[in-house]
Amino acid sequence: MGNSKHGHTTHTSSSPTYKSWHMMMQRCGNPNYSQYADYGGRGITVCNRWKTFQFFLQDMGLRPIGMTLDRKNNNKGYTLANCKWSTKVEQQRNQRSNNVWTYKGERKTVAEWAEQLGMKRHSLYMRVATYGWTVRKALTTPPMMRGRRKKGIETDQ
């Protein structure tokens, strides 16, 4: 890596912030990188300002412990307006592969709905995917708890 002007790398290691920046650059700009197809290969770019580490650092600040670089909208590139430091749970809930349901204007992942209802994610998902329930029915029918139903999300009726 060599010594650098920004002080975030040495000949043997680099800072967590620099690692996040470097991996972002690899994902978006290196066709030989293993995850390039999911990033640069599908048009995800890094804004010109952030192609220089010092500007990325100036805009995002140091990476907080336990956080990683996350894009708010996974179909847009890496810019100050679209990026934040996120926890692992936030990152997992912001993946393109997530099932997202909208009910009464609220858009959440199945995991978030399940957490709100006190249900297992898989059980809630199965209601729609396997049993053919509507999202409304899946969310408003309380889960079975020892032969009784718990309270579900309130309905308009």
Side-chain angles (χ1 to χ4, degrees):
M1 286 185 198
N3 289 324
S4 62
K5 294 177 186 177
H6 49 71
H8 282 261
T9 62
T10 66
H11 60 281
T12 58
S13 66
S14 57
S15 73
T17 308
Y18 185 86
K19 287 177 185 175
S20 290
W21 174 81
H22 180 75
M23 295 313 295
M24 168 188 72
M25 297 299 291
Q26 290 295 304
R27 289 188 296 266
C28 296
N30 180 356
N32 296 320
Y33 184 70
S34 63
Q35 294 178 315
Y36 178 81
D38 293 326
Y39 293 87
R42 68 179 192 93
I44 302 302
T45 59
V46 176
C47 68
N48 285 334
R49 178 174 167 81
W50 283 7
K51 291 180 181 174
T52 301
F53 174 72
Q54 290 92 333
F55 292 131
F56 172 81
L57 176 62
Q58 186 177 25
D59 290 347
M60 291 298 293
L62 293 174
R63 185 177 98 184
I65 294 171
M67 305 285 238
T68 57
L69 184 61
D70 191 16
R71 286 173 294 128
K72 298 171 189 174
N73 181 333
N74 281 324
N75 294 314
K76 293 184 178 181
Y78 287 91
T79 64
L80 179 58
N82 193 44
C83 289
K84 63 182 184 134
W85 296 116
S86 294
T87 65
K88 185 177 180 179
V89 170
E90 289 172 312
Q91 280 269 10
Q92 289 172 334
R93 290 187 174 168
N94 190 28
Q95 293 177 351
R96 287 184 297 143
S97 60
N98 279 336
N99 287 293
V100 179
W101 295 347
T102 302
Y103 178 68
K104 289 188 174 181
E106 282 190 80
R107 189 173 191 274
K108 298 181 183 183
T109 64
V110 174
E112 289 169 312
W113 286 117
E115 186 176 285
Q116 180 177 332
L117 291 168
M119 290 182 70
K120 292 182 180 177
R121 179 196 54 80
H122 181 73
S123 298
L124 184 58
Y125 176 77
M126 294 295 285
R127 287 179 167 189
V128 173
T130 301
Y131 307 128
W133 291 17
T134 64
V135 168
R136 180 180 183 272
K137 181 178 178 182
L139 294 174
T140 59
T141 303
M144 294 295 288
M145 298 297 290
R146 296 190 185 138
R148 292 185 255 161
R149 293 215 180 267
K150 274 177 60 175
K151 184 178 179 186
I153 295 176
E154 297 296 322
T155 63
D156 290 330
Q157 299 173 351

